[in-house]
Amino acid sequence: MANNYNKLALIDLSQVKQKFVWYAVVTQFNHEESFVRNVVEGASGTFLQDYIQQCYIPIKYTKEKVKQKDGTWKDKVHKVKGCYSNYVFVKCIMTSDVWNFLRTRSGAAVILSTGGYPTEISPEEIEKISEQQAPEGFDADGAKEILKKVNVIIQGVES
């Protein structure tokens, strides 16, 4: 049985571009934020921080004013995952070390791949997803705080 598990983990990285590219990681149910926390903490202070640049959690936050029974108003924040539930997008240079690091982090289920090759997500697609998932109902400062929560910069190097 263990032998079959190892075969499932094989991936061909020979055709992978050696530059920062977005990849999708499917996480276990409701583990998006803990997966990102595990990636940041695990890569911090190691050579991996040079290969993993950014993590993006496509969660939409909305804020609305709700009238309470006593007549006062209260802000209520909703988390809406929608069709991106359990996804985290990671911008990295995919090497065998990064592949093994990401797939073995607590909370990870699978890194999307097609035909044995990791599936690249285009920057345009990430931009489209982030526009769809933009926070609603927040002032500028509130929106910035939410964006820091879902778009974690691990490394400041731009590709």
Side-chain angles (χ1 to χ4, degrees):
M1 183 81 160
N3 216 5
N4 287 340
Y5 178 77
N6 288 334
K7 287 182 183 176
L8 290 174
L10 293 178
I11 193 79
D12 185 356
L13 299 174
S14 63
Q15 302 296 317
V16 174
K17 298 173 189 165
Q18 290 301 295
K19 65 177 191 173
F20 285 105
V21 176
W22 288 100
Y23 297 95
V25 178
V26 181
T27 65
Q28 297 169 356
F29 182 71
N30 280 338
H31 279 77
E32 300 93 342
E33 292 174 33
S34 65
F35 170 77
V36 170
R37 192 170 41 256
N38 291 330
V39 167
V40 171
E41 290 171 2
S44 180
T46 71
F47 73 96
L48 290 169
Q49 72 184 15
D50 295 331
Y51 291 88
I52 303 171
Q53 187 177 64
Q54 190 173 354
C55 294
Y56 171 59
I57 308 167
I59 298 174
K60 182 179 189 93
Y61 285 86
T62 61
K63 184 167 98 172
E64 66 178 333
K65 293 228 181 260
V66 178
K67 190 172 186 177
Q68 297 183 315
K69 288 181 182 180
D70 65 358
T72 61
W73 292 87
K74 180 180 177 184
D75 288 337
K76 185 163 183 154
V77 176
H78 301 279
K79 251 181 171 177
V80 183
K81 294 182 186 177
C83 63
Y84 301 107
S85 181
N86 303 326
Y87 279 82
V88 171
F89 297 99
V90 180
K91 189 175 186 181
C92 63
I93 298 173
M94 189 61 76
T95 65
S96 59
D97 289 329
V98 172
W99 174 266
N100 288 320
F101 174 76
L102 292 175
R103 73 180 189 85
T104 59
R105 290 301 92 198
S106 178
V110 66
I111 301 171
L112 287 188
S113 57
T114 307
Y117 299 97
T119 304
E120 293 181 12
I121 311 296
S122 72
E124 295 79 20
E125 192 64 28
I126 296 295
E127 182 65 30
K128 184 176 168 185
I129 292 168
S130 66
E131 286 172 6
Q132 292 171 351
Q133 300 298 98
E136 291 180 1
F138 293 88
D139 61 17
D141 290 336
K144 281 182 187 175
E145 286 303 311
I146 293 296
L147 291 174
K148 282 182 195 173
K149 190 173 186 175
V150 299
N151 193 17
V152 179
I153 306 293
I154 298 170
Q155 177 195 74
V157 177
E158 288 300 317
S159 60

